[in-house]
Amino acid sequence: MGKNEFLTPKAIANRIKAKGLQKLRWYCQMCQKQCRDENGFKCHCMSEGHQRQMQVFGQNPDRIVGGFSEEFERAFLDLMRRSHRFSRVAATVVYNEYIADRHHVHMNSTQWATLTEFVKHLGRTGQCKVEDTPKGWFITYVDRDSETLFKDRLKAKRHKADLADEERQERAIAHQIERAAAVSVAVAETPLASDPNNPTASHTDGAGSGTTGNPPAERSHFYSNPNPPRSLPNLVMRLRPQSPPPN
Ligand SMILES: [Zn+2]
């Protein structure tokens, strides 16, 4: 509609007549023009504007059909998400709601010749669960947002469980190492404690040896060790009350 036609009697009359849903087949998608009847559509097809649009279409029909198909699919799925997000619904119900908007992209300008074909496409691409029933095709919207959220939560949970597992394993290994160390110390102590010439024997059991009163020979040997163990000062303090170290 041109600027000058706005609210002219003719424009108003056309609007009144054009109210409501009209025959989808008399809609020209390229010009986005709805005609009221077959005659009107024929006239439109002979118009200069339409011829120009058809030339544009002829230059790249695949791309134009692809664009309309994309738009059709997106609008249809938007409607599913808005109105039927959590319900199983007949495909025709959604389609009738979809075409209630006069300026919807018409299906005959898309790659899908029939609603059934389009519904199968939705099922194939995993955007809807589709069922062929005696009452026609039924579709259920696949809520990818919620699904992604659910999967993420599951992943996080699994990750947490893995971490706990790892921690448990680490603790078990540490425990094993401790036990192995304790066993080797016990094994090492047994022969060394009875050997008065081994300086490390009194070191490993240093704190205890002071109170149990080891033979002086061993102790003097211990303190003459050219490489005294690190805990020596502490050991000296503990031993002093009982027997002062020799010079
Ligand atoms: Zn046209």
Side-chain angles (χ1 to χ4, degrees), residues 28-33 44-45 47 49-51 53-54:
C28 173
Q29 186 69 65
M30 282 306 288
C31 309
Q32 299 190 325
K33 165 122 181 117
H44 168 73
C45 287
S47 71
H50 178 79
Q51 295 294 331
Q53 287 293 79
M54 286 321 281

Side-chain angles (χ1 to χ4, degrees), residues 9-209:
K10 190 184 170 212
I12 291 171
N14 277 344
R15 279 191 187 191
I16 290 168
K17 282 184 274 184
K19 229 171 124 186
L21 185 61
Q22 298 187 48
K23 286 274 185 189
L24 299 177
R25 55 200 277 215
W26 292 327
Y27 183 84
C28 173
Q29 186 69 65
M30 282 306 288
C31 309
Q32 299 190 325
K33 165 122 181 117
Q34 176 71 61
C35 303
R36 277 194 297 276
D37 51 29
E38 194 174 357
N39 190 43
F41 190 68
K42 267 185 193 163
C43 287
H44 168 73
C45 287
M46 286 186 294
S47 71
E48 216 177 287
H50 178 79
Q51 295 294 331
R52 263 201 307 273
Q53 287 293 79
M54 286 321 281
Q55 271 177 0
V56 171
F57 178 80
Q59 279 159 12
N60 205 340
D62 288 348
R63 188 163 155 246
I64 289 174
V65 169
F68 284 141
S69 302
E70 246 172 60
E71 217 173 302
F72 177 87
E73 183 181 19
R74 196 186 52 233
F76 193 95
L77 286 170
D78 275 351
L79 179 62
M80 280 298 287
R81 190 164 42 238
R82 273 201 313 272
S83 307
H84 308 284
R85 190 165 191 157
F86 303 109
S87 48
R88 177 177 170 277
V89 63
T92 49
V93 167
V94 186
Y95 180 70
N96 284 332
E97 286 172 9
Y98 170 71
I99 63 175
D101 173 10
R102 282 186 59 211
H103 293 291
H104 71 274
V105 172
H106 287 50
M107 197 162 66
N108 56 13
S109 54
T110 69
Q111 65 191 81
W112 303 287
T114 62
L115 182 60
T116 298
E117 228 176 88
F118 176 64
V119 166
K120 283 180 181 169
H121 160 79
L122 290 181
R124 228 178 7 249
T125 50
Q127 302 182 90
C128 289
K129 281 180 193 127
V130 304
E131 295 161 75
D132 190 9
T133 76
K135 286 181 178 172
W137 285 89
F138 277 75
I139 52 181
T140 312
Y141 183 69
V142 172
D143 197 343
R144 290 187 177 201
D145 299 341
S146 306
E147 207 171 74
T148 314
L149 216 73
F150 177 73
K151 276 183 187 162
D152 280 353
R153 226 177 281 154
L154 207 71
K155 214 196 263 173
K157 216 171 160 187
R158 225 176 286 147
H159 183 63
K160 220 171 157 187
D162 280 354
L163 279 184
D165 253 12
E166 247 169 58
E167 214 181 291
R168 211 173 305 129
Q169 271 180 3
E170 263 169 33
R171 241 182 291 139
I173 289 171
H175 188 65
Q176 273 180 357
I177 290 173
E178 248 170 58
R179 262 175 32 200
V183 167
S184 69
V185 164
V187 167
E189 264 173 12
T190 321
L192 291 177
S194 59
D195 178 10
N197 294 325
N198 193 324
T200 54
S202 49
H203 168 56
T204 47
D205 196 21
S209 66

